Amino acid sequence: MRSFIYYVREFLRPEWIRKFFSVKTAPLETPTYFKDYPALTGKECTGCFSCMMICPAPGAIAVLRKKDEWEPEVYPGHCIRCGLCVEACPEGVLSSGRILDLTGHDRTTFASWYHLEVDDNLCMRCGNCCVSCPVNRQIDPQLAGTGTSASDEVIMRIEGGRVRILHEEKCTGCKTCEENCPNRAIRVARMVEGVHLEEAEA
C-alpha cells in the first residue's frame, strides 16, 4: 500500500503533470530513404514480367492485360516494399522512394532469367512437361502427345529417352511444367544477377 501511495504522489507532482500535458513531439517527416508501395509512373509497360520474376513475395505483383496494354498491379497485402520490382523494370514503369534516381545515377539494374532442371532419377519420360508448356505449344502446334518435337526452337522435348532442355532462355516462369509433372521431376528456378548497364550493353 505504501508503494502505491508513493507512485501516486510522484505522478501527481505539478512538474510531472505540466510536462505531461505540455510536451510536444517532433513533426512527422518522411525520411528520404523511405520506400512506399510501388506506384505507376505513367510509362508504358511492355509485359516483360521482370517485376514478377524478381519479386520475393508470392502474390505481391501481377502484370495484367487491360484493354490493349499491359499494366502491373501491386497488392499491398502481400508486398514487402523491397523495391526490387522497381529496380528490375527496364522501362521505369514503377517507382518507390528514390530508387529510380539512385539506379539512374549508378546505372545499375537486375538481369533475371529462369533455369530449368530435370531430375533424371524422378523423371518418367512421360512428356507432360513438354506438352503442357505454353511456349512449346505456340512454337510447335504439332507437338506430339509424348513430348517429341521436330522443331529445334522449342524450350524442351523428349529426345533419346529423356527430357532435353534446348532453349532455357525462352522460359517465362509460368511453372506449368512443374504443375503437370506427376513426379515433381522438373524445377523452374528464378535466377537474378545485379549488373552495371555498361556491362549489359557491351
Side-chain angles (χ1 to χ4, degrees):
M1 186 65 180
R2 293 179 59 185
S3 61
F4 175 74
I5 295 175
Y6 170 79
Y7 282 116
V8 171
R9 288 177 57 186
E10 284 295 311
F11 287 139
L12 293 179
R13 286 187 302 123
E15 182 182 357
W16 189 91
I17 293 176
R18 178 178 56 81
K19 289 182 178 180
F20 179 80
F21 286 103
S22 62
V23 67
K24 293 182 179 180
T25 58
L28 182 63
E29 295 181 1
T30 302
T32 56
Y33 54 82
F34 177 75
K35 291 185 291 187
D36 203 348
Y37 294 111
L40 297 175
T41 61
K43 295 184 178 180
E44 183 180 357
C45 174
T46 59
C48 68
F49 302 102
S50 294
C51 53
M52 292 180 62
M53 288 177 68
I54 202 169
C55 179
I61 187 169
V63 179
L64 308 176
R65 188 71 174 177
K66 296 185 177 181
K67 295 182 179 179
D68 295 328
E69 57 185 22
W70 293 99
E71 183 179 305
E73 186 167 335
V74 177
Y75 302 98
H78 298 272
C79 178
I80 60 175
R81 299 189 303 188
C82 64
L84 290 177
C85 58
V86 178
E87 294 188 63
C89 178
E91 309 299 331
V93 175
L94 297 167
S95 67
S96 176
R98 56 180 184 178
I99 295 177
L100 289 180
D101 293 335
L102 293 175
T103 55
H105 177 270
D106 297 337
R107 292 184 57 76
T108 55
T109 187
F110 283 108
S112 53
W113 65 97
Y114 287 106
H115 172 65
L116 300 174
E117 186 171 342
V118 179
D119 187 336
D120 288 331
N121 294 322
L122 295 176
C123 180
M124 302 189 307
R125 285 75 174 170
C126 64
N128 279 9
C129 55
C130 304
V131 176
S132 63
C133 174
V135 177
N136 267 12
R137 292 201 306 268
Q138 184 178 7
I139 294 174
D140 184 8
Q142 305 302 320
L143 188 69
T146 55
T148 58
S149 174
S151 174
D152 292 332
E153 298 302 317
V154 294
I155 293 179
M156 54 191 164
R157 67 186 179 192
I158 297 293
E159 184 178 308
R162 61 186 299 272
V163 176
R164 182 186 175 194
I165 309 297
L166 299 176
H167 294 283
E168 186 178 72
E169 74 281 359
K170 294 181 181 180
C171 177
T172 62
C174 69
K175 296 194 175 184
T176 304
C177 54
E178 275 193 14
E179 296 169 359
N180 284 275
C181 179
N183 270 15
R184 297 186 177 182
I186 188 168
R187 285 289 179 267
V188 181
R190 179 181 57 203
M191 313 296 288
V192 179
E193 180 183 15
V195 296
H196 196 275
L197 286 176
E198 293 180 356
E199 297 176 0
E201 294 168 356

